[in-house]
Amino acid sequence: MKYVTLNDGNSLPILGFGTYKSTEQEGITSVKTALQNGYRLLDTASKYQNEEAVGKGIIESGISRKEIVITTKLWRTCLGYEDTKAELEKSLKKLQVDCIDLFLIHWPANAKNYNNWQQVNADTWRAMEDLQAEGKIKSIGVSNFFEQHLEALLQTAKVMPAINQIEFHPGYWQPKLMEYCNTKNIQIQAWSPFARGKVFKNETLNNIAKKHKKSVAQICLRWVLQHQVVAIPKSNTPERIKENLQVFDFKLTEEEMHLINALPLMGYSGEHPNHWPDRI
Ligand SMILES: NC(=O)c1ccc[n+]([C@@H]2O[C@H](COP(=O)([O-])OP(=O)(O)OC[C@H]3O[C@@H](n4cnc5c(N)ncnc54)[C@H](OP(=O)(O)O)[C@@H]3O)[C@@H](O)[C@H]2O)c1
């Protein structure tokens, strides 16, 4: 496994494991399989209702807790100083740990749902900073924040977010937001690196896959990694869990990177930080 260093000095595996939509038993089994095959970064969220399963999978894997980077997220209806602190305690309990390695604000407060979204995000962030200072979280970050949400947050933040986890896959990869985050040394993490399977039939990706004798899934992950972005693919299938790790033995050419960068809009989830709970 390769690691990146975050702006707070902590290291993060460049390839992790997603758990969205995994049921209790799937969650336990897939987390155990992932850890036993070499993944060391796990991604869950209170919203996924599988933090207990992830915690059990970690214990059943037999891998030392110290080696594992656990990410969980604060849901968007639980923002604010007090709620953030209370939610973190719930996540710690469900995951059966005394510290979260990476805690993210899942979606920013927005003008559609809050009279003063800037203040709500600022209060939430202050709680995250306090929890980090107390040692209950190692790294703090955000998810689905656009530049405008980050700029507003930075007006009052004492700690720079270490991560921004965003939708990032061939056909929708937010390059301007990535460039902005790079200038702030905020690491991008890619959610839905396969657009939940919607990219698999694309002809360009299939042609590149054939050339490298790799699967389209592996091409997507390699493309994410070559952008210096952390990928967190999800799978409940043991063969795919293993397949998705086999991306460190080949390299996409500059031309192939450009071809994938230039693919037209494909697989966009429709989830937007300024429109939630509606899709666009
Ligand atoms: N921050 C956010 O707002 C946010 C939003 C969405 C997701 N996430 C995180 O990002 C993670 C990944 O995103 P995602 O779960 O939405 O979608 P994804 O990883 O793009 O796609 C998952 C789908 O691809 C299939 N798959 C996995 N590997 C494959 C392979 N090698 N060949 C063929 N099919 C393969 C899986 O099937 P099987 O499981 O049946 O193998 C599953 O149906 C999530 O699990 C979650 O942790 C975060």
Side-chain angles (χ1 to χ4, degrees):
M1 184 52 67
K2 289 196 173 154
Y3 286 74
V4 293
T5 304
L6 301 177
N7 62 19
D8 59 12
N10 291 326
S11 1
L12 194 73
I14 195 155
L15 184 60
F17 188 70
T19 63
Y20 181 47
K21 292 210 170 150
S22 294
T23 61
E24 170 81 8
Q25 195 49 50
E26 283 170 346
I28 298 172
T29 312
S30 65
V31 164
K32 184 177 161 189
T33 307
L35 289 171
Q36 289 179 342
N37 280 282
Y39 291 86
R40 289 294 178 266
L41 166 64
L42 302 174
D43 187 82
T44 181
S46 58
K47 179 65 181 171
Y48 305 167
Q49 297 187 333
N50 62 12
E51 288 170 307
E52 277 124 339
V54 171
K56 285 180 195 163
I58 292 171
I59 292 165
E60 285 191 18
S61 76
I63 306 290
S64 160
R65 164 71 185 96
K66 279 184 281 179
E67 283 187 39
I68 304 166
V69 178
I70 304 175
T71 311
T72 194
K73 313 185 198 82
L74 173 75
W75 189 233
R76 60 198 182 195
T77 52
C78 306
L79 303 173
Y81 189 85
E82 295 302 337
D83 279 4
T84 300
K85 288 196 142 187
E87 287 297 305
L88 189 269
E89 290 302 327
K90 286 186 206 163
S91 290
L92 289 172
K93 212 167 162 195
K94 287 181 182 162
L95 283 156
Q96 300 187 55
V97 294
D98 51 19
C99 171
I100 300 292
D101 302 279
L102 180 57
F103 195 49
L104 309 179
I105 303 179
H106 208 144
W107 291 86
N110 59 24
K112 189 174 169 202
N113 295 286
Y114 292 89
N115 288 334
N116 191 347
W117 61 269
Q118 295 93 333
Q119 190 61 47
V120 175
N121 287 334
D123 290 345
T124 305
W125 192 248
R126 194 162 46 83
M128 309 267 287
E129 290 173 333
D130 289 353
L131 290 163
Q132 186 183 39
E134 286 168 34
K136 291 188 170 171
I137 313 171
K138 284 193 186 143
S139 295
I140 55 178
V142 297
S143 176
N144 301 304
F145 272 50
F146 281 173
E147 182 174 335
Q148 68 188 103
H149 307 113
L150 282 162
E151 281 294 312
L153 194 74
L154 296 180
Q155 300 287 316
T156 52
K158 292 194 200 102
V159 177
M160 180 69 84
I163 294 275
N164 189 11
Q165 186 183 113
I166 60 171
E167 183 168 357
F168 189 109
H169 51 75
Y172 186 78
W173 60 290
Q174 312 192 65
K176 288 212 174 91
L177 179 56
M178 179 179 76
E179 274 169 38
Y180 168 80
C181 287
N182 286 346
T183 65
K184 300 282 180 198
N185 202 12
I186 299 171
Q187 174 67 48
I188 295 285
Q189 261 189 339
W191 63 255
S192 292
F194 313 136
R196 296 178 187 152
K198 291 188 211 101
V199 296
F200 289 143
K201 288 197 175 132
N202 178 268
E203 203 185 327
T204 305
L205 293 174
N206 276 280
N207 288 340
I208 296 173
K210 257 182 229 146
K211 258 192 2 205
H212 287 279
K213 298 194 172 63
K214 289 282 179 182
S215 68
V216 171
Q218 290 167 325
I219 298 299
C220 292
L221 293 175
R222 187 67 214 181
W223 171 79
V224 172
L225 268 41
Q226 281 186 221
H227 276 296
Q228 311 307 321
V229 165
V230 174
I232 46 167
K234 172 259 169 189
S235 176
N236 287 332
T237 316
E239 300 73 44
R240 291 173 175 171
I241 292 174
K242 290 179 207 160
E243 177 189 322
N244 295 344
L245 275 175
Q246 305 309 312
V247 292
F248 297 105
D249 56 355
F250 76 108
K251 203 168 179 261
L252 297 173
T253 64
E254 237 175 83
E255 195 194 340
E256 289 165 340
M257 288 296 288
H258 286 310
L259 274 173
I260 302 175
N261 291 346
L263 286 172
L265 184 69
M266 164 172 64
Y268 173 47
S269 67
E271 294 182 64
H272 190 291
N274 286 333
H275 293 266
W276 67 259
D278 303 314
R279 285 171 191 254
I280 55 164

